[in-house]
Amino acid sequence: MLSGSGTRYSHVDGFSRRNFLQIGAPLLGLGLSDLLRLRASAKETARPKTKKSLIVFWTNGGMSQQDTYDMKPNAPAEYRGMYRPISTSVSDIQVTERFPLQAKVMHQISQIRSVHHENGIHAPSAHWMQTGYFGPTLARNAAQKPSFGSVISRTMGAHSEHIPPYVTIPKSEAFGYQGAVYLGKSHNPFELGTDPNSKNFKVPNLALPKGLTLKSVESRRELLKKFDTLNREVDKSGVIEGLDSFKTQALEMVTGERVRKAFDLSSEDTKLRDQYGRHQYGQSALLARRLVEAGSTCVTVNTGYWDHHNDIEKGLEEHLHPLDRAIATLIQDLDQRGILDDVLIFCAGEFGRTPMMNGHAGRDHWANCFTVMFAGGGVRGGRVVGASEKFGGGVLERKTSPMDLLATIYQTLGIPLDTHFNDDSGRPTSIIDTGKPIHELF
C-alpha cells in the first residue's frame, strides 16, 4: 500500500518492512542485535573450560545477620532480637527459626560470618560488594568498576549459543552497580523485566514485535524467503539488506526453541513449582535454575528490600519464609538433578544490620561484621568461616573482605585470578586486586 507521502510500504503477516528492519532495536527488548554485534567485536579473553555457573540472591538494602544466620541467643534482648535459634543438619550450627528448610540442608550450606568493609551507606556499599572495589560516594554516584556478573559474562560468556550469559530477575538493582562499565555494554545484564510469579508470565524483552507470531517466524529461512520475494518485487534499492546477520541472530534468540524453553515456567511440574513457592522468590529461583541449565553463567535474583530501620519483625516476616523456601528448594533440586556441584549459590547484600535494635524496633546499617552464604559449586558445605564478637559488633576472627568473596566466586567458576582488564583510562585493573579465595571452603 502507499503512505500519504507516496512512500511504498509492504507488509508480511501484517508487519511492515520498516518495522521489521528495527528487529534488534528496542522492539526486541535490550537491543539484542546491537548486543550481539558489540559482543562479536569485543576483544575477548580465553574462555575457562569449566561448565560452572552462579546463582545469586541479592538482599537489597541489607539483611540482618543477627536474625538469620549469626544469632546471639545469649545476648540481652535488644541485641538478640525476636527469633529463637533452631538446630540444623550440622550439629554445631544453628540458624533462625524462620529458616527451617535451610536448616535441613545446612550440611550443603556454608556461612561466612566475618565479612567486613568500612562504609555504611547503601550505594557505596553496594558498589563495594558488587565489584570488590570501594568507589562511589554521595557526591559521585556513577559506577566505577564492573560488577562480578559482568566480569563473568566477559570472561566466560554463555555455555550455549543464543542464551544470555548474565541475567537479572526481575530487573537490575544494587543501586545501579550490576553493570559492565568499561567491560562494554554487551556485558550488561539481560533484565527479565517482570515478576516470574505473575499471572500469564512472559518475558517482555523476548517478546515478538506486534504483528509477528511464532508461527509466522517459526523458520527463519521461510521468513527470509518472504523478504527475498519482497526485495525483488518492491525494494530495488536493497534497503532490505539491513536485516544483517546480527539481526537474524537476535531473531533466533527471540524465537529459538532453546531460549523459549528456558524461560517457559509453565512447562515445569506443578508440584515442583509449589515446592519452590508461588511467590517472586520461589519462581525466580526456579527460573534461575532453568537458565543456568540452558547455558547462562550468572543469574542474579534481586529479592525484596531489606532496609528495616523500623519494625524489623514485620519486614522480616515478609521476606524470610519465601527466601528460605527458594534457597533450600533450589539446593535440593540441583542436587537431585546431579548438578549442584556445577552451580554456585551466593546470598549477600551490601551490608548487615546493627547488633542493637534501635528505638523504632528496627536495625540500622552495619558493615563492620555481617554474614553471607555459599552453597553448591563444589564448595564444602556445613561450615562456618569466621566469627563475630560476643554481641556481633565486630569481627572476632577471620576478617573477610568483599574482594575475598569475589575471588572465591571467580576461583570456583574457573576464572583465572590474574585476569586484568583496561579501565576507561587504559590502566590494567585486576578483577580481584588484593582479594584471596576463602580456602576453608575448598
Side-chain angles (χ1 to χ4, degrees):
M1 68 181 197
L2 295 177
S3 71
S5 62
T7 303
R8 184 182 295 272
Y9 294 95
S10 294
H11 289 70
V12 176
D13 293 323
F15 190 62
S16 76
R17 179 191 59 164
R18 172 172 288 184
N19 287 338
F20 187 79
L21 291 177
Q22 296 176 21
I23 286 177
L27 282 172
L28 291 190
L30 297 182
L32 295 179
S33 65
D34 293 330
L35 182 147
L36 291 165
R37 186 180 289 106
L38 284 165
R39 186 167 291 143
S41 63
K43 182 179 179 182
E44 305 289 349
T45 57
R47 304 291 194 193
K49 295 180 179 180
T50 177
K51 285 295 183 181
K52 291 190 176 183
S53 54
L54 172 70
I55 293 176
V56 180
F57 291 88
W58 178 255
T59 55
N60 201 41
M63 182 171 68
S64 168
Q65 69 278 6
Q66 296 92 335
D67 299 303
T68 52
Y69 293 111
D70 188 15
M71 306 191 75
K72 302 295 182 183
N74 298 320
E78 64 269 26
Y79 288 89
R80 69 173 179 262
M82 52 281 170
Y83 298 130
R84 64 181 180 86
I86 59 172
S87 298
T88 72
S89 62
V90 181
S91 60
D92 57 347
I93 297 178
Q94 293 183 320
V95 294
T96 177
E97 61 186 307
R98 292 297 186 261
F99 281 173
L101 301 179
Q102 287 182 77
K104 293 178 180 179
V105 295
M106 192 54 58
H107 56 286
Q108 296 171 306
I109 292 173
S110 283
Q111 305 167 34
I112 315 300
R113 292 184 179 175
S114 54
V115 183
H116 166 92
H117 63 73
E118 298 174 354
N119 191 280
I121 302 172
H122 287 296
S125 296
H127 187 280
W128 213 336
M129 289 292 288
Q130 286 283 323
T131 72
Y133 286 92
F134 176 74
T137 64
L138 289 176
R140 184 187 179 197
N141 275 322
Q144 296 171 33
K145 304 291 181 182
S147 67
F148 59 81
S150 294
V151 170
I152 293 167
S153 172
R154 177 72 165 81
T155 54
M156 297 182 69
H159 292 318
S160 299
E161 192 176 11
H162 302 311
I163 295 291
Y166 176 24
V167 182
T168 52
I169 304 173
K171 60 188 179 74
S172 296
E173 295 284 1
F175 300 89
Y177 303 126
Q178 290 180 334
V181 192
Y182 52 74
L183 295 186
K185 292 181 179 180
S186 63
H187 299 293
N188 280 335
F190 180 90
E191 295 183 295
L192 190 68
T194 188
D195 178 359
N197 190 50
S198 59
K199 187 178 181 180
N200 301 319
F201 162 69
K202 68 176 184 177
V203 183
N205 289 329
L206 288 180
L208 284 166
K210 186 177 181 180
L212 281 182
T213 65
L214 276 179
K215 183 177 180 180
S216 68
V217 294
E218 208 165 44
S219 167
R220 183 187 69 178
R221 184 172 297 176
E222 291 179 6
L223 183 66
L224 292 178
K225 282 181 181 177
K226 293 181 180 181
F227 279 88
D228 284 342
T229 302
L230 175 66
N231 186 26
R232 288 194 299 270
E233 292 179 354
V234 300
D235 194 25
K236 308 294 185 184
S237 67
V239 174
I240 196 67
E241 293 175 6
L243 183 62
D244 63 16
S245 63
F246 296 104
K247 287 179 176 149
T248 59
Q249 284 181 55
L251 187 62
E252 282 193 349
M253 182 174 171
V254 172
T255 63
E257 183 178 6
R258 186 179 185 87
V259 177
R260 290 204 314 274
K261 283 185 175 180
F263 286 94
D264 182 14
L265 283 177
S266 66
S267 65
E268 283 287 346
D269 182 83
T270 300
K271 291 182 179 179
L272 183 61
R273 294 193 69 179
D274 292 342
Q275 187 177 342
Y276 270 94
R278 296 290 184 152
H279 38 64
Q280 182 175 314
Y281 285 77
Q283 300 308 295
S284 296
L286 176 56
L287 180 59
R289 189 221 78 204
R290 294 179 62 84
L291 288 171
V292 297
E293 280 188 310
S296 294
T297 42
C298 180
V299 181
T300 294
V301 176
N302 286 306
T303 67
Y305 198 44
W306 298 74
D307 193 28
H308 300 133
H309 293 277
N310 302 286
D311 199 1
I312 191 171
E313 183 173 7
K314 179 180 178 181
L316 290 177
E317 286 296 300
E318 179 183 346
H319 296 298
L320 292 182
H321 172 71
L323 179 67
D324 181 48
R325 180 166 291 277
I327 290 176
T329 305
L330 177 63
I331 291 171
Q332 293 172 314
D333 192 12
L334 292 170
D335 194 22
Q336 290 169 4
R337 291 169 181 272
I339 57 174
L340 181 60
D341 283 349
D342 293 326
V343 183
L344 180 65
I345 301 168
F346 177 51
C347 180
E350 62 264 37
F351 39 52
R353 312 302 296 187
T354 50
M356 187 170 70
M357 305 274 280
N358 62 30
H360 302 284
R363 297 188 192 269
D364 301 313
H365 306 171
W366 195 253
N368 286 9
C369 185
F370 58 103
T371 302
V372 304
M373 182 276 283
F374 284 107
V379 304
R380 299 174 67 180
R383 298 186 67 80
V384 171
V385 178
S388 61
E389 295 173 345
K390 183 177 180 180
F391 294 161
V395 174
L396 179 64
E397 61 183 50
R398 186 48 165 105
K399 186 177 289 187
T400 303
S401 73
M403 196 61 89
D404 294 333
L405 301 175
L406 269 57
T408 302
I409 290 171
Y410 297 147
Q411 177 167 295
T412 303
L413 297 182
I415 298 172
L417 299 184
D418 60 356
T419 300
H420 288 66
F421 294 108
N422 289 343
D423 64 16
D424 287 330
S425 67
R427 177 185 175 186
T429 303
S430 169
I431 62 170
I432 65 162
D433 194 35
T434 59
K436 297 186 182 303
I438 302 167
H439 64 83
E440 295 95 329
L441 295 179
F442 300 98

